Amino acid sequence: MIYDRLDLIANLCTKCCCGSRGRGFDPPHQSDTRTIYIANRFPQHGHYVPQKFADNRIISSKYTVWNFVPKNLFEQFRRVANFYFLIIFLVQLMIDTPTSPITSGLPLFFVITVTAIKQGYEDWLRHKADNEVNGAPVYVVRSGGLVKTRSKNIRVGDIVRVAKDETFPADLVLLSSDRVDGSCHVTTASLDGETNLKTHVAVPETAVLQSVANLDKLVAVIECQQPEADLYRFVGRITVSQQAEEIVRPLGPESLLLRGARLKNTKEIFGVAVYTGMETKMALNYKSKSQKRSAVEKSMNSFLIIYLIILLFEAILSTILKYAWQAEEKWDEPWYNEKTEHERNSSKILRFISDFLAFLVLYNFIIPISLYVTVEMQKFLGSFFIGWDLDLYHEETNQRAQVNTSDLNEELGQVEYVFTDKTGTLTENEMQFRECSINGIKYQEVNGKLTPEGFSEDSPDGNRRGLVKEEELFLKAVCLCHTVQINADQTDGADGPWHANGITSPLEYYASSPDEKALVEAASRVGVVFTGISGDSMEVKSLGKPERYKLLHVLEFDPNRRRMSVIVESPSGEKLLFTKGAESSILPRSKSGEIDKTRIHVDEFALKGLRTLCVAYRRFTPEEYQEIGKRLHEARTALQQREERLADVFNFIERDLELLGATGVEDKLQEKVQETIEALRLAGIKVWVLTGDKHETAVSVSLSCGHFHRTMNILELVQHKSDSTCAEQLRQLAKRIKEDHVIQHGLVVDGTSLSLALREHEKLFMEVCKNCSAVLCCRMAPLQKAKVVRLLKTSPEKPITLAIGDGANDVSMIQEAHVGIGIMGKEGRQAVRNSDYAIARFKFLSKLLFVHGHFYYIRIATLVQYFFYKNVCFITPQFLYQFFCLFSQQTLYDSVYLTLYNICFTSLPVLIYSLFEQHVHPHVLQSKPVLYSSTSRDKNSTFVKCVSVQLKVTFIQSSSSHAVWIAAGYELYEIQNLFYFCRDISKNAHLGFKPFLYWTILGFFHAFVFFYGSYLLMGEDTSLLGNGQMFGNWTFGTLVFTVMVITVTMKMALETHFWTWINHFVTWGSIVFYFIFSLFYGGIIWPFLHTQDMYFVFVQLLSSGSAWFAIILIVVACLFIDVVKKVLYRHLQPTSTEKAQLTEAGSGINCLDSMCCFSDGETACTSARRMLERLMGRCSPTRVNRSWSSSDPFYANDRSILTLSTMDSATC
């Protein structure tokens, strides 16, 4: 769908802006392929219908000068609140309403204008960037020479010259370079983040055309697929006409130079443009704005509907009561308000509708129009705190946390499941060669020598020189079967000094796969050195002896085959196939070699946590190679179903292999992975690891990183081939979990078994998974990862899910989860580009969730509830006033006050609160993960079980004194209560129905106190003003409004825990601003106002001592109950957050309060043991009372900018 839209945009822009010269196209494409005549040499004869292509302009902007106003207004009025206020404004214009249209029109105009300015400015920046790109100078070959033009003028078929370090202005098929073999090196860092050099090659027939004059004579046609977004897929062929002969060559991804990539280590290249402008792969990969919606946004919409119902109820009730009141003749037409003749003769139905609409207008401010714009500002401004947080900054790579969408900030505080990749996410993705198996013998690298297991340098064979035949062939296979590149700036090194084992100083290798780089480097250290590619030859040196292998074919790696191969011609002329890949794809295809021993060695490597690859080879007879060459050419030149044909040919070639051995490469864990996973578990978050690695490797890494504990009961659902066996195993696992009283279970499932489980036994599989503390899915395909996330996401409980990964294979699950996080790793930037947030290391996830997520949720939840509360306070007195004015629709407040209440008087305190509030210190939040989730409230939670078991173990080892058991029981009771009585934030608790009902009732209560308090204190005595004037309705309304502004502002102050000078400024400044504004507004006769009902009203009100007494008394009466409630709850039933606040304020801690704190390498049960030691009288005072130090976990070098004011070091 998105591609069709992009095509449509390109076509429309071409038609509108380029006139007849533009070569836009009308989607959908009428053909699956496109034909491109190089240099636009179209055939002179025959029935040729020219195809239309897009021009080369990039358009990332959303608006133009002509469509900005209508398009932006259309988008803004699609919001329910904006459209509602537009209707109210139109009603005020059409009928006689009690309030001026300005009261609705001005706030609406303000919100629309602010949003339009913001979006317009952002689009202007996009226009500016587009103009810079489209106006960049380029050189094209035209009329026998190089012509300088702008990038936007490139047409499909133009031959473009690109120099070193320049970016490609369009998607080009490489024709030639300054090298004889027609190769060049590029980096695609701006597209996928991969900084390694990639080699691209031209077909031999065009590679020799290195001058402009020769290229101008080229007659050739390219047929290729229509544009698609896949960066790594390109299917085409080129037909070159030479001396009345047509030569057809296949074109693949190795021939395509992508727009946005940069030319490296090559002086210049020439290429023909095949995709331009919005049809380039870069443009088709533009990431659209995330369509994910947070739970807070859904709650807001629900609350708006409820308040809309309240509004309709009040309007209908008021209309009915008006006519019920007017049923008495004396009130139908009082002497002071006689009806006109037109009013007497008008339809009763029309009058009822008109009155209903008038009441609707009168009460319409119960719907907060400024809520949306305030929430947008809070999310947008609040997202900067993540990028500014120096605790999320990685110094080694100079990378800060990145926010791609601010719409999901609060969702970070609601996560219940974390789905994580393994390689590059939990591990460093820095491979180190550890072991290998050659011909059934295990080897290790010792001081640059390949040493069999059991031998050492002191052994008789430990100092042997040279390599045996099997070892040398294995190492040559490793050095030839890869995609590694060598830095072109390095010298060959052939004449350099050799070490004792015959190798030169190490070359600098580049590889897209860290495994390949580690293996080639290891081979070079032990004597077989890959020295580079020259033309179509690969050069290696075996113990200093150079050898040249002619590269005939490369069978590229793909995730379905899980292997790659090369076909080479040895110096002796023998045709050889070298293959490496996963053992599941190599061993079944091997017919000879030490298969059984190698399989055992591979399993042993996996148990050590090593990544394994198997290596094999095959010799071809001349007849076999001729058949293979023919099949490969047919498959590679096919335009239809090329991938399927190539897969069949590859399977035909990669068979009857002779196994050479296997490799074991270690990928070390990232820093603090174990502590982070333990913290997530204590927070009640379940961690699932989804990886493509084999079973044994994945389990080993899960144990080492703390995902699985050694004491955990590991259940397995692996290697099932049928539905029946899979279902039976699932039933046995479910039964075992119910019968087994072990604290925790872990589940291991492989990709094949998962497919069977999800096919017909989804419910049973989910039941087993939910009863497991940790789940490990191995041998997973990318789409299977997304399916698992979707399975949990759509389960009846609707948990909030988070997916985190670093590679392109993680994109699907990152996009599927509620929150997607990309790791800025070594597998490119596709995960980062498609994520909602990006961090440099997995350990940063704890602060992102426990601190930022917690703060964001508390802030925005309070913001939303407070907005509805203050609008109930605002409009309910208006409703109550109608009972005292015969429902005549008389307004209680002046129209200016109606307009400015949400815009000026009460907007800033809640906005600043939503940006800076810290109800608990960040250190405490991160050290007490239990504050994050309500899972810890459950008395059957894992953590409380852990504490209970630890109690039993400790008392078995100690005395059985009755007093000690009583004390222990009391401590356990307190521990359980600590968690059970937590009113925490998960499951959207702060925006649930009960908190919403509390805030709404509180709003109505305060509104009743405002109105009836003012009425009782001031309503009966009409001569309380100092000058003896009567106390009129405008004075009464102003008194109610003044009390309301002060109360709702002070209510926000009561909710604020973390005070900065900004909070003080906006809180007290808002109240002061209201008083100053009211004095100026009512103290001066403004010539531009038609009427001025408020003239001198506020001055007279403030001159009355009784009014001041009433203001103070009513404000105190409203807030007194709030204060009493907070005090009672804090002392009688404190939440875990309130306990943390008390701990934060104290100078020391006790063991019970510090149960959730844990030092490096300690678990929750260790903390429980410390508590029991104190109970037994063995607690060290130095461990009970301690302050923050640099050795505390998580907080070393804590430089969080969230702390805006200085704070004393708090205890845990």
Side-chain angles (χ1 to χ4, degrees), residues 711-759:
T711 57
M712 188 179 285
N713 188 13
I714 307 298
L715 310 175
E716 292 189 349
L717 182 68
V718 295
Q719 297 180 349
H720 290 283
K721 305 296 183 183
S722 65
D723 283 336
S724 58
T725 60
C726 182
E728 179 61 27
Q729 179 68 9
L730 278 172
R731 282 189 284 269
Q732 291 181 5
L733 293 178
K735 182 180 178 181
R736 184 175 175 183
I737 291 173
K738 290 179 180 179
E739 294 176 351
D740 203 340
H741 297 291
V742 176
I743 299 173
Q744 292 175 318
H745 297 275
L747 177 66
V748 182
V749 57
D750 62 10
T752 306
S753 303
L754 179 69
S755 298
L756 296 173
L758 296 184
R759 189 178 301 168

Side-chain angles (χ1 to χ4, degrees), residues 233-370:
R233 184 174 184 271
F234 177 68
V235 178
R237 66 186 175 200
I238 183 172
T239 304
V240 182
S241 300
Q242 288 184 348
Q243 300 174 353
E245 180 185 1
E246 291 188 346
I247 302 173
V248 180
R249 296 286 186 184
L251 298 175
E254 72 282 353
S255 303
L256 188 66
L257 306 173
L258 299 179
R259 177 172 189 152
R262 188 178 296 272
L263 184 65
K264 290 287 187 182
N265 295 349
T266 309
K267 184 179 178 181
E268 66 176 9
I269 64 98
F270 290 93
V272 58
V274 290
Y275 304 131
T276 52
M278 299 304 292
E279 292 182 343
T280 59
K281 291 182 179 290
M282 182 187 75
L284 293 177
N285 273 277
Y286 279 155
K287 185 178 181 294
S288 59
K289 187 177 180 181
S290 173
Q291 297 301 311
K292 299 176 182 178
R293 295 175 62 210
S294 69
V296 170
E297 186 177 348
K298 297 173 185 176
S299 298
M300 281 172 51
N301 292 337
S302 302
F303 296 163
L304 280 173
I305 292 173
I306 293 174
Y307 271 68
L308 187 61
I309 294 172
I310 294 174
L311 169 65
L312 293 174
F313 171 76
E314 289 183 347
I316 293 173
L317 179 63
S318 297
T319 308
I320 293 173
L321 289 177
K322 176 180 180 177
Y323 282 92
W325 203 288
Q326 291 180 353
E328 296 185 39
E329 187 175 348
K330 65 174 181 177
W331 297 120
D332 181 36
E333 192 175 348
W335 60 269
Y336 56 84
N337 191 20
E338 293 184 1
K339 295 180 181 178
T340 64
E341 193 66 27
H342 175 73
E343 289 175 334
R344 292 192 184 98
N345 298 329
S346 61
S347 169
K348 291 185 177 180
I349 296 177
L350 290 178
R351 272 190 291 158
F352 185 89
I353 294 175
S354 177
D355 286 329
F356 168 74
L357 293 176
F359 281 116
L360 205 65
V361 169
L362 191 64
Y363 306 146
N364 78 85
F365 285 97
I366 198 172
I367 306 294
I369 184 174
S370 56

Side-chain angles (χ1 to χ4, degrees), residues 899-1042:
T899 305
L900 299 183
Y901 175 75
N902 278 317
I903 296 178
C904 297
F905 299 146
T906 60
S907 59
L908 280 180
V910 66
L911 177 61
I912 296 302
Y913 170 93
S914 66
L915 291 175
F916 298 130
E917 171 63 4
Q918 295 182 30
H919 61 301
V920 181
H921 195 276
H923 290 329
V924 178
L925 281 178
Q926 202 168 353
S927 66
K928 289 191 175 183
V930 73
L931 294 175
Y932 180 80
S933 171
S934 65
T935 305
S936 55
R937 291 200 268 174
D938 187 0
K939 291 187 179 182
N940 296 318
S941 71
T942 300
F943 182 70
V944 174
K945 284 182 180 179
C946 179
V947 174
S948 304
V949 171
Q950 188 63 49
L951 278 168
K952 294 176 183 177
V953 172
T954 304
F955 284 113
I956 287 173
Q957 297 172 351
S958 60
S959 69
S960 58
S961 168
H962 183 66
V964 172
W965 276 103
I966 294 175
Y970 175 75
E971 291 280 5
L972 180 58
Y973 172 77
E974 289 295 324
I975 292 167
Q976 290 181 322
N977 281 346
L978 172 65
F979 303 118
Y980 184 71
F981 290 118
C982 292
R983 294 186 296 275
D984 287 299
I985 67 171
S986 68
K987 294 289 185 183
N988 201 18
H990 280 224
L991 284 175
F993 181 73
K994 288 184 178 179
F996 170 72
L997 192 63
Y998 163 74
W999 280 93
T1000 302
I1001 293 175
L1002 182 66
F1004 279 113
F1005 169 73
H1006 283 179
F1008 273 77
V1009 175
F1010 299 156
F1011 184 83
Y1012 287 107
S1014 300
Y1015 179 76
L1016 293 174
L1017 291 174
M1018 310 295 290
E1020 296 299 327
D1021 191 344
T1022 59
S1023 61
L1024 286 180
L1025 297 179
N1027 57 5
Q1029 289 184 341
M1030 292 182 65
F1031 204 92
N1033 68 307
W1034 291 117
T1035 309
F1036 175 75
T1038 304
L1039 175 62
V1040 173
F1041 192 84
T1042 303

